[in-house]
């Protein structure tokens, strides 16, 4: 690990100013992803701004009937929160499907959104990776890409967002709240938070340098059965090959987002009108523009069947 | 505001990290926390993980370094009542924390009930993962008691119960290469029964 200086600011605006005003500075919250990447020298910040002392760790009802989740609420606490379990079950389920108990105790709401891809070529510093080293190429395109994106990728990158929580937040239409160094606050719909790679895969999100996530808000609850189905290589503690976050009625109407298929949670709200026709009608539309590789084309059928299982679960 | 000062002037040379060599000068910081009931103050390189602080600086070598990437659970400690991977957190981030390592749970002449149950049920073979398994096991039973659900909890609105499925899911962050899992489940089940 490269050496770094360290500070603990007292307010979110101070934290944002510290990162914006220091070369190669990064925020650290739970640290479970950043420190892993620092040990491998994939991330090499010269300055860490520890945001753990900023508060931002409560879950509060909003005036609109929704919830405001502080950026530093730990994954364990969010999954176990009584309101989340009762009204946003898809979010509890997604959180509990991710990582291990030890990691969920440390990992935060904001940090989960910002976790970087688990593409093996991003992790292997001997390989070309445009996300890790812009302009170096992408070894994944013709490499072992069974786990990687089937839609939304580019000639520069086919990495996926590895998380579960963001997929649930996408189906819940969450909003990310931020503050920047000047103290200006911004609200970013979750659909616009993560970026597709295009020709700049090094940028995972639309956050500006030094912009700090302060909270994630959820609109008022959506009725229906809340389902998160995750298909993975092991029964526990593994990343999704495909996941489905869905809120479904018994008649098959509802909302659905897919994980493990793209650089962001994938949702096509127009295609949701086809949910009563069954899974295939929906996934044919959602993945109409998919460009899978020979190794990961299975994900398209898997997405259809996982959604089918969710529809069956909602009808039961 | 807490800051860390460089032991020597920082390299602020031009260029970004990946392609440019950079002088790597250690940066020192001070942290005070309580480990197994004892208040400890350490001057550490900011890079020091909580695991390395315990093992190399406090000579508490019960917690093990397996993967050093949060994948195996051998380093599991209980910090402020929650189990965490001590390898994936910086020691200096734990100012004022209450930390329990395997040494703080029990000693050979005064075993914690979970340690005694692991001995009774043969919950290990080589023993390398065992301190992490035991710290995790103790915390898992507390998590179930506190009503924290898991991936296999069927009803999110009901209190979770101690079942084999719950134990196996909740312990998935602790890998045992010898494969003592079934005996670990038995040990934890017995301790849970004793607590109920």
């Amino acid at each position: 690990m490269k050496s770094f200086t360290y500070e603990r600011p007292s307010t979110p605006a101070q934290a944002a100013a510290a990162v914006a005003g220091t070369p190669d500075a990064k925020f650290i919250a739970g640290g479970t992803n950043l420190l892993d990447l620092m040990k491998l020298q994939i991330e090499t910040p010269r300055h860490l701004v520890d945001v753990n002392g900023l508060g931002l760790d409560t879950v509060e009802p909003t005036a609109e009937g929704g919830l405001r989740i502080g950026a530093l609420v730990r994954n364990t606490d969010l999954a176990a929160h009584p309101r989340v379990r009762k009204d946003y079950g898809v979010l509890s389920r997604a959180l509990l499907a991710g990582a291990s108990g030890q990691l969920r105790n440390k990992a935060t709401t904001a940090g989960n959104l910002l976790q970087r891809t688990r593409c093996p070529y991003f992790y292997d510093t001997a390989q070309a990776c445009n996300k890790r080293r812009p302009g170096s190429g992408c070894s994944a395109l013709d490499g072992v890409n069974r786990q990687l994106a089937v839609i939304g990728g580019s000639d520069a990158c086919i990495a996926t967002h590895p998380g579960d929580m963001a997929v649930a937040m996408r189906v819940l239409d969450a909003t990310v709240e931020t503050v920047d160094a000047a103290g200006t606050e911004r609200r970013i719909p979750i659909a616009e938070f993560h970026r597709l790679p295009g020709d700049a895969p090094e940028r995972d999100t639309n956050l500006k340098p030094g912009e700090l996530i302060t909270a994630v808000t959820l609109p008022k609850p959506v009725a229906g059965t809340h389902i998160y189905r995750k298909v993975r290589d092991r029964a526990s503690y593994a990343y999704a090959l495909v996941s489905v976050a869905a809120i479904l009625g018994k008649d098959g109407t509802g909302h659905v987002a897919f994980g493990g298929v793209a650089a962001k949670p994938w949702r096509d709200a127009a295609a949701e009108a086809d949910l009563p026709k069954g899974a295939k009608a929906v996934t044919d539309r959602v993945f109409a523009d998919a460009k899978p590789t020979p190794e990961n084309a299975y994900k398209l059928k898997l997405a259809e069947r996982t959604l089918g299982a969710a529809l069956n679960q909602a009808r039961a | 505001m807490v800051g860390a000062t460089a032991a020597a002037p920082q390299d602020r040379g031009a260029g970004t990290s990946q392609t440019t060599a950079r002088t790597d000068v250690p940066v020192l910081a001070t942290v005070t926390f309580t480990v197994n009931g004892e208040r400890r103050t350490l001057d550490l390189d900011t890079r020091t993980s909580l695991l390395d602080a315990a093992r190399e600086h406090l000579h508490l070598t019960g917690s093990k370094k397996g993967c050093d990437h949060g994948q195996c659970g051998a380093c599991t400690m209980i910090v402020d009542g929650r189990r965490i991977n001590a390898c994936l957190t910086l020691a200096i981030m734990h100012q004022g924390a209450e930390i329990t390592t395997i040494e703080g749970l029990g000693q050979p002449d005064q075993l914690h009930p979970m340690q005694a149950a692991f001995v009774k049920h043969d919950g290990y073979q080589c023993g390398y993962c065992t301190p992490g398994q035991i710290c995790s096991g103790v915390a898992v039973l507390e998590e179930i008691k506190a009503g924290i659900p898991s991936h296999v909890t069927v009803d999110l609105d009901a209190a979770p119960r101690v079942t084999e499925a719950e134990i196996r899911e909740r312990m998935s962050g602790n890998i045992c290469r010898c494969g003592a899992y079934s005996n670990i489940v038995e040990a934890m089940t017995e301790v849970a029964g004793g607590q109920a």
Side-chain angles (χ1 to χ4, degrees), chain A residues 146-148 150 164 167 228-233 239-245 257-261 283 287 296-307:
Chain A
R146 170 179 174 270
Q147 289 180 298
L148 302 179
V150 293
D164 296 294
V167 187
Y228 190 77
R229 291 189 82 96
K230 177 176 179 178
V231 183
R232 43 185 160 174
D233 286 335
Y239 291 93
L241 298 170
V242 164
S243 70
V244 164
F258 296 86
V261 293
T283 53
F287 294 102
N296 70 15
Y298 74 93
K299 287 194 178 192
L300 299 176
K301 183 56 85 175
L302 192 56
E304 177 196 325
R305 288 179 175 168
T306 309
L307 176 59

Side-chain angles (χ1 to χ4, degrees), chain A residues 1-10 14 22-24 28-33 35-48 50 52 74 76-77 79-80 82 84-86 89-90 92-93 96-97 99-106 118 125 132-133 228 230 232 235-237, chain B residues 1-4 6 10-19 22-27 29 45-47 49 68-73 76 82-85 87-90 92-95 132 136 143 147-160 168-170 172-175:
Chain A
M1 195 186 295
K2 295 290 185 183
S3 68
F4 53 85
T5 48
Y6 169 85
E7 71 174 286
R8 276 206 296 273
S10 317
Q14 272 179 17
T22 316
D24 294 330
I28 187 165
T32 53
N33 189 212
L35 289 168
D36 183 28
L37 295 170
M38 285 170 66
K39 288 180 187 204
L40 298 165
Q41 296 191 21
I42 294 165
E43 297 274 12
T44 52
R46 288 161 190 260
H47 186 65
L48 285 186
D50 182 347
N52 286 292
R74 307 290 152 171
T76 297
D77 296 313
V84 177
R85 288 157 75 166
K86 180 169 163 285
V90 64
S92 271
R93 290 292 183 197
L96 295 170
S100 67
Q102 288 97 318
L103 291 169
R104 290 192 296 271
N105 282 340
K106 262 283 167 206
R118 295 281 165 166
T125 52
R132 174 166 38 74
R133 203 166 64 228
Y228 190 77
K230 177 176 179 178
R232 43 185 160 174
S236 183
Y237 199 16
Chain B
M1 255 326 241
V2 175
Q10 273 283 96
D11 168 40
R12 291 284 189 199
T16 50
S17 45
Q18 297 228 356
T19 49
R22 104 186 191 203
T23 315
D24 224 27
V25 182
V27 180
D45 187 314
T46 52
R47 289 172 284 192
S49 68
D68 210 25
H69 285 280
Q71 296 168 5
C72 77
T76 303
R82 290 277 175 93
R83 59 183 168 136
I84 65 168
N85 297 116
C87 75
L88 273 193
T89 191
L90 299 171
I92 55 169
M93 292 168 72
H94 293 280
Q95 177 66 30
S136 204
E143 286 166 14
I148 293 168
S150 85
H151 175 62
V152 299
T153 305
V154 176
D155 182 358
L156 282 179
D157 291 328
R168 284 183 179 274
E169 161 60 24
R170 289 168 192 263
S172 70
N174 290 84
I175 311 298

